[in-house]
Amino acid sequence: MVIKSSSFYKNITFCDLKKQYRNLEKQLSKAIKQTLHSGCYILGEEVRLFEQEFSKWCNCSFGVGVASGTEALYIALLVCGVKSGDEVITVANAGVPTVCAIAMTGAIPIFVDINERSYTIDVSKIEKLLTKKTEAILPVHLYGQCADMDPIVQIAKKYNLKVIEDACQAHGALYRGSKAGSLGDVSCFSFYPTKNLGAYGDAGMIVTSDPELAKKAKMLREYGQSQRYVHIMRGINSRLDEIQASMLRVKLRNIDTWNKRRNEIAGIYNRNIKNKYVIKPLRMEYNYHIYHLYVIASIYRDKLRSYLSEAGIQALIHYPTPVYLQEGYSLYRPRSNCHITEVSTKKVLSLPLYPELKDEDIYYIAETVNKFRP
């Protein structure tokens, strides 16, 4: 284990949202104050402007602000025609919310194994799992890197399926030069506080360039109404708050700079981590990775995590258990082998990475990883 020096000991948390807030405190306070003074707190000007600004930033025509990333996925599935008994192709190594959204529609998630280096869906295994019940493909852009979208879109066109991007960890990521969120029929983002673009609570967004899908999404988020008191479909209450939208507008102006800094930090890790017991993340050649998470892998993951903790470094696991092995989702067993999914979830470990992280701490983390021996 690491020997702690009485004169030198780090305490590096995995994430520090307070630092980001302090840097933007005056701008955020002004935005909140203006919103409160407006007297409009639900689906007002701030939401409208943020939908417009964020969708434009994603190179999409329409944005629909909702209450969370999970509900963005749920509504997107519904507007794409997914219903009870349908099947949706996705992965099991991401967070539970993706599968939760599918289950909310009554559809069945069909799990495809992953690429062992990118951790995203293995496109070569999709087609063999399609059936007459398949309605959509829901790739997850995991850890800040896009899934291989060209073959996914080609498969979808061949079989007349919808493509719903889970871009909840990919704000600003690029696939062959195109923004995450602009690659499928409809795409979903989460603004959970720890995301590259995070709110101060739950918030989400649906983006698309299809006017009909956008129109349906706006109705579904507000009880299915086409106009006040005229409900032409069953919907839910899932609205992005005005105050959250006002703060997200402030933060949107900074995200490209923050993503650039995340790449700088990842570069330091990539150049300095040199431990034969550790595999560094691979940026696929077709991607601009925005490193929502910097995920290493080791067969000695748990020992390494404890070692880092002893050195004052908080590392987390994203994600420790395939969704179908969670008790609440155990009825959705995979039809095909998901061996790489199961192996990878036992090895992955996320190191601290956020724009405000100091260079000296980044080098210390890399040095500590290098000193690890099982």
Side-chain angles (χ1 to χ4, degrees):
M1 306 300 283
V2 173
I3 299 175
K4 302 177 186 177
S5 168
S6 59
S7 60
F8 180 75
Y9 176 67
K10 292 283 189 178
N11 181 20
I12 304 173
T13 58
F14 183 77
C15 184
D16 190 344
L17 296 176
K18 291 182 290 185
K19 289 182 178 178
Q20 186 186 81
Y21 172 74
R22 286 194 294 267
N23 290 339
L24 297 173
E25 185 172 3
K26 290 183 179 179
Q27 299 171 62
L28 291 168
S29 296
K30 181 180 178 181
I32 293 169
K33 187 175 181 179
Q34 288 177 340
T35 304
L36 292 174
H37 277 288
S38 75
C40 180
Y41 310 127
I42 299 290
L43 295 184
E45 188 70 358
E46 292 297 328
V47 168
R48 186 188 71 79
L49 288 172
F50 180 57
E51 289 174 338
Q52 183 180 90
E53 292 160 2
F54 185 76
S55 60
K56 182 179 179 181
W57 183 73
C58 292
N59 294 325
C60 290
S61 302
F62 307 99
V64 182
V66 295
S68 70
T70 305
E71 290 185 356
L73 287 164
Y74 171 59
I75 292 172
L77 287 159
L78 292 179
V79 301
C80 286
V82 175
K83 59 189 183 301
S84 182
D86 288 342
E87 295 176 353
V88 178
I89 299 291
T90 193
V91 293
N93 66 316
V96 163
T98 308
V99 176
C100 176
I102 296 171
M104 286 165 66
T105 70
I108 301 166
I110 303 299
F111 297 113
V112 180
D113 209 358
I114 59 171
N115 180 295
E116 63 182 338
R117 292 308 313 276
S118 70
Y119 303 114
T120 58
I121 192 167
D122 186 339
V123 296
S124 69
K125 297 178 180 178
I126 293 176
E127 208 162 355
K128 66 181 69 174
L129 290 173
L130 301 181
T131 71
K132 292 181 179 179
K133 294 183 178 181
T134 306
E135 192 68 28
I137 304 174
L138 203 168
V140 179
H141 302 327
L142 198 63
Y143 304 149
Q145 177 161 227
C146 292
D148 191 0
M149 290 299 295
D150 280 352
I152 292 172
V153 171
Q154 290 169 8
I155 292 170
K157 288 181 178 178
K158 180 179 178 181
Y159 294 96
N160 194 30
L161 306 173
K162 292 292 187 182
V163 176
I164 303 162
E165 291 178 72
D166 182 339
C168 291
Q169 296 186 5
H171 311 66
L174 300 177
Y175 174 80
R176 302 192 187 281
S178 295
K179 279 276 184 74
S182 67
L183 305 163
D185 294 287
V186 62
S187 305
C188 303
F189 290 86
S190 166
F191 303 120
Y192 185 78
T194 57
K195 303 297 185 183
N196 289 35
L197 180 63
Y200 291 89
D202 280 312
M205 179 78 78
I206 299 164
V207 297
T208 182
S209 290
D210 186 318
E212 285 302 311
L213 294 181
K215 181 180 178 181
K216 289 180 182 178
K218 286 189 175 183
M219 287 190 285
L220 282 168
R221 75 171 173 190
E222 197 173 21
Y223 313 114
Q225 63 181 10
S226 58
Q227 55 184 296
R228 193 171 179 83
Y229 302 131
V230 178
H231 302 263
I232 64 173
M233 62 177 71
R234 287 183 294 177
I236 61 172
N237 175 5
S238 181
R239 300 175 294 209
L240 175 61
D241 292 338
E242 278 285 288
I243 287 178
Q244 294 292 357
S246 72
M247 293 187 287
L248 285 164
R249 290 185 66 208
V250 170
K251 297 179 80 172
L252 182 61
R253 297 194 287 268
N254 296 274
I255 189 171
D256 290 328
T257 300
W258 291 337
N259 283 345
K260 182 178 179 182
R261 173 59 178 162
R262 286 175 177 272
N263 267 269
E264 290 173 356
I265 296 170
I268 295 173
Y269 280 147
N270 287 338
R271 291 189 298 273
N272 288 275
I273 293 177
K274 299 175 181 178
N275 186 322
K276 66 180 182 179
Y277 301 109
V278 171
I279 299 172
K280 291 177 284 189
L282 177 67
R283 180 185 65 80
M284 306 303 283
E285 68 278 2
Y286 46 74
N287 278 335
Y288 172 65
H289 201 317
I290 47 86
Y291 293 99
H292 170 60
L293 298 168
Y294 186 90
V295 181
I296 60 175
S298 174
I299 59 173
Y300 304 104
R301 189 264 310 279
D302 294 337
K303 289 183 179 179
L304 173 57
R305 187 186 185 195
S306 296
Y307 183 86
L308 293 172
S309 179
E310 288 292 319
I313 300 166
Q314 183 186 33
L316 301 180
I317 302 170
H318 299 88
Y319 298 89
T321 309
V323 178
Y324 56 79
L325 294 180
Q326 300 279 0
E327 182 178 356
Y329 296 89
S330 59
L331 70 161
Y332 303 122
R333 300 299 296 181
R335 289 178 181 164
S336 64
N337 187 299
C338 286
H339 174 72
I340 297 173
T341 296
E342 295 187 18
V343 169
S344 71
T345 55
K346 296 175 182 177
K347 298 192 297 183
V348 292
L349 184 68
S350 303
L351 299 181
L353 193 159
Y354 52 94
E356 298 79 17
L357 193 60
K358 296 178 181 178
D359 281 3
E360 64 182 69
D361 290 338
I362 303 164
Y363 285 108
Y364 173 74
I365 293 167
E367 178 186 0
T368 306
V369 170
N370 288 338
K371 290 179 178 177
F372 169 73
R373 297 294 182 274

